[in-house]
Amino acid sequence: MTDANDFDVEFRGITKRFGDVAAVNNVTLQVRKGEFLSLLGPSGCGKTTSLRMIAGFEQPDEGELLIGGKDAVGVPPYKRDVNTVFQSYALFPHKSIIDNVAFGLKQRGEGKAERRAKATEALELVQLSHRADDRPTMLSGGQQQRVALARALVMNPRVLLLDEPLGALDLKLRKEMQFELKRIQEHVGITFVYVTHDQEEALSMSDRIAVMSNGVIEQLDEPRAIYDNPKTAFVAGFIGEMNFLTGTVTSANDGHWTVDAGVGVPVQGFGAAPLNEKVRVGLRPERLVVTPNSDETGTNRVLSTVLSKMYLGDQIQFVVTLPSGATVIAIEQRASVDPATDNIKPGDRVTVSWDAHAPLLLGIVDADKSNSTDTSTTKETR
Ligand SMILES: Nc1ncnc2c1ncn2[C@@H]1O[C@H](COP(=O)(O)OP(=O)(O)OP(=O)(O)O)[C@@H](O)[C@H]1O
Ligand SMILES: [Mg+2]
């Protein structure tokens, strides 16, 4: 059994509206002690609003918010045991690095020696103790962000809230800082609630990811489960690349199902499926195998035509047209592929096949929302 004390933060049916917009819509969420939890989703989905409610800068319109198992609604920000790291570092330009880090401790009334010791320790953690007496402007963006992190960590909060803290950094520095943040979080053991719209960032750092869309959490799971087992078409399309097929479930028994997606052969996969319903099926590009000079078709093996081919260094990306007219993307690793695959050209007849574990059932297609001519779409998020 779990009780509220097992969670550092808990949302119970929380709604926050701005005018007619429900920025956060009846969200229930439990953040475990010591975990690195990411809120991931596109712009405007409610990530920052969720974080600001935890910090106490916004109040929910409905629902309960608990921090450390205690009701936090109405508790002012400075009385909450949480700290926030923003994308803009907001360091004091005229104070030294160590005074910036120690500032919150001074506000809290801690003595000079203790402040210095704690601030030095925090700077060591972010590997900047040798810059303690410099001014912020003498540091790079990544270093300034580490100072901002040290300034939050030194307060030893129950929960650290981070809102796109690496957003202003270039790609290489971002990667380094992702690694750093994860290392630091594991070292200090403080609960991190991390906001990002970058799926790779969330996948590489988090213990769990809450994928948000339009104010709701679509799925909350470990990174691997989010990628391998997306529960909705939105999650499937937002995380990584995904091909979508739409069709009717023609059989569903003994733990596998068959869908007629209009590609001339049955699409078969494992799991439960709603018989006779119109469903959406996802296929990851890397799970598709393109075979040249082959006209052997059958279940999960479709005769297709190559539309385009692109080299991505270590990979080849094909766009192929299925008999239904739909196009799908297939990605082959060059190192492991049959050399004949390298010679495929646009216009060639090929087969596209996949393992029965590859197709993901992504739910029933809502007849009201779906466009009947749209039998398949391919979406890229990168
Ligand atoms: N103070 C506000 N007043 C009015 N509307 C707001 C306010 N803050 C947020 N919203 C609206 O609430 C919704 C969610 O905003 P939020 O800032 O939480 O999104 P986000 O997921 O953090 O997006 P981004 O990735 O762009 O930062 C948006 O529609 C936004 O316009
Ligand atoms: Mg935001």
Side-chain angles (χ1 to χ4, degrees):
M1 275 298 284
T2 56
D3 66 53
N5 289 323
D6 293 330
F7 308 117
D8 269 346
V9 178
E10 207 177 337
F11 280 33
R12 294 183 181 167
I14 286 193
T15 296
K16 175 68 190 177
R17 291 188 200 89
F18 295 107
D20 293 341
V21 180
V24 173
N25 194 355
N26 193 19
V27 164
T28 292
L29 167 70
Q30 294 166 330
V31 184
R32 298 172 185 155
K33 276 190 166 56
E35 85 172 319
F36 193 127
L37 183 133
S38 292
L39 303 179
L40 172 68
S43 186
C45 72
K47 306 180 296 292
T48 295
T49 304
S50 301
L51 214 63
R52 287 173 59 82
M53 286 193 284
I54 303 173
F57 302 133
E58 302 283 0
Q59 296 299 326
D61 293 312
E62 284 165 35
E64 284 178 88
L65 173 65
L66 287 82
I67 296 176
K70 295 200 184 75
D71 185 5
V73 174
V75 177
Y78 66 92
K79 285 196 178 159
R80 298 187 181 202
D81 198 1
V82 302
N83 271 81
T84 309
V85 177
F86 300 99
Q87 184 175 326
S88 61
Y89 329 120
L91 302 175
F92 297 112
H94 302 298
K95 288 190 195 295
S96 66
I97 297 302
I98 191 150
D99 285 347
N100 264 283
V101 173
F103 184 77
L105 300 173
K106 192 172 179 184
Q107 297 284 96
R108 202 150 79 181
E110 296 197 14
K112 194 168 181 186
E114 194 168 3
R115 291 194 318 251
R116 184 140 195 114
K118 283 186 182 173
T120 303
E121 195 186 337
L123 279 175
E124 272 164 15
L125 197 60
V126 299
Q127 299 177 336
L128 279 176
S129 43
H130 59 295
R131 307 296 296 267
D133 299 319
D134 288 345
R135 310 275 150 194
T137 49
M138 298 160 77
L139 302 186
S140 71
Q143 288 168 334
Q144 289 184 43
Q145 189 54 286
R146 281 196 256 169
V147 175
L149 182 64
R151 179 182 56 184
L153 288 171
V154 80
M155 306 301 285
N156 193 27
R158 177 188 286 276
V159 184
L160 193 65
L161 308 172
L162 304 100
D163 196 351
E164 312 240 9
L166 310 183
L169 307 179
D170 68 47
L171 188 65
K172 187 161 178 287
L173 203 51
R174 265 181 101 104
K175 295 268 172 217
E176 282 171 28
M177 280 296 291
Q178 286 170 17
F179 185 77
E180 273 295 293
L181 268 175
K182 183 70 187 159
R183 175 187 70 78
I184 290 167
Q185 193 267 341
E186 281 170 359
H187 181 83
V188 297
I190 293 174
T191 305
F192 275 32
V193 182
Y194 190 94
V195 162
T196 181
H197 60 259
D198 181 331
Q199 41 146 334
E200 282 184 21
E201 196 162 290
L203 288 170
S204 63
M205 289 195 289
S206 318
D207 294 315
R208 291 191 303 159
I209 301 173
V211 182
M212 293 187 72
S213 159
N214 284 325
V216 304
I217 293 178
E218 293 256 337
Q219 187 170 352
L220 173 62
D221 246 321
E222 292 172 9
R224 200 171 125 176
I226 294 273
Y227 189 86
D228 290 345
N229 269 312
K231 297 284 186 248
T232 67
F234 175 82
V235 175
F238 191 72
I239 313 286
E241 289 178 47
M242 185 68 86
N243 298 299
F244 293 107
L245 302 176
T246 307
T248 305
V249 179
T250 55
S251 79
N253 48 44
D254 293 340
H256 52 83
W257 47 260
T258 306
V259 164
D260 175 4
V263 295
V265 300
V267 176
Q268 213 171 71
F270 287 106
L275 191 62
N276 298 326
E277 294 281 1
K278 193 174 173 192
V279 294
R280 192 169 279 118
V281 174
L283 282 167
R284 293 273 185 215
E286 70 270 22
R287 302 295 293 264
L288 301 184
V289 180
V290 177
T291 309
N293 311 316
S294 161
D295 52 15
E296 189 188 320
T297 66
T299 299
N300 292 344
R301 189 176 186 96
V302 185
L303 196 61
S304 313
T305 307
V306 177
L307 191 64
S308 69
K309 174 186 176 188
M310 196 167 31
Y311 282 103
L312 309 172
D314 56 338
Q315 298 174 326
I316 314 174
Q317 176 184 294
F318 294 101
V319 179
V320 295
T321 309
L322 305 181
S324 60
T327 55
V328 292
I329 293 175
I331 292 176
E332 313 295 332
Q333 293 296 329
R334 291 189 66 204
S336 54
V337 92
D338 178 342
T341 305
D342 244 359
N343 298 323
I344 293 174
K345 3 176 243 316
D348 282 2
R349 297 288 276 168
V350 294
T351 58
V352 175
S353 58
W354 54 85
D355 183 276
H357 288 283
L360 302 167
L361 206 76
L362 299 171
I364 295 173
V365 177
D366 185 338
D368 298 336
K369 288 186 194 163
S370 76
N371 176 347
S372 58
T373 59
D374 173 28
T375 54
S376 166
T377 49
T378 301
K379 189 177 157 212
E380 282 177 272
T381 52
R382 269 176 287 181

